[in-house]
Amino acid sequence: ALNSTTAVRFGEGAGTALTQVSSTQVQATVPNSATTGPITLVTTSGTNVSTATFFAAPKLTQLLPSQGQ
């Protein structure tokens, strides 16, 4: 049951605003630090890792040229 979920991760990023919706559903906010990878749920009974891949949104890290025309 998911009603004992204590944490969720999206790739390497820890989810925030974790809410227990029901015994079969949790809701969490995807953090900016999310990376492409599995979704991991940590419960009081153990850790559950998804078989599907979560794809993180691309991040803009640099804009070239630094001066434009």
Side-chain angles (χ1 to χ4, degrees):
L2 298 180
N3 56 354
S4 62
T5 301
T6 58
V8 62
R9 298 186 67 77
F10 297 89
E12 295 298 318
T16 59
L18 182 63
T19 302
Q20 306 289 329
V21 176
S22 70
S23 63
T24 59
Q25 187 178 18
V26 294
Q27 180 177 320
T29 301
V30 177
N32 289 334
S33 60
T35 59
T36 296
I39 296 174
T40 304
L41 291 174
V42 180
T43 70
T44 55
S45 300
T47 300
N48 301 288
V49 180
S50 68
T51 56
T53 300
F54 168 82
F55 290 95
K59 294 177 178 74
L60 182 63
T61 59
Q62 187 176 25
L63 209 51
L64 293 175
S66 58
Q67 297 178 343
Q69 195 181 45

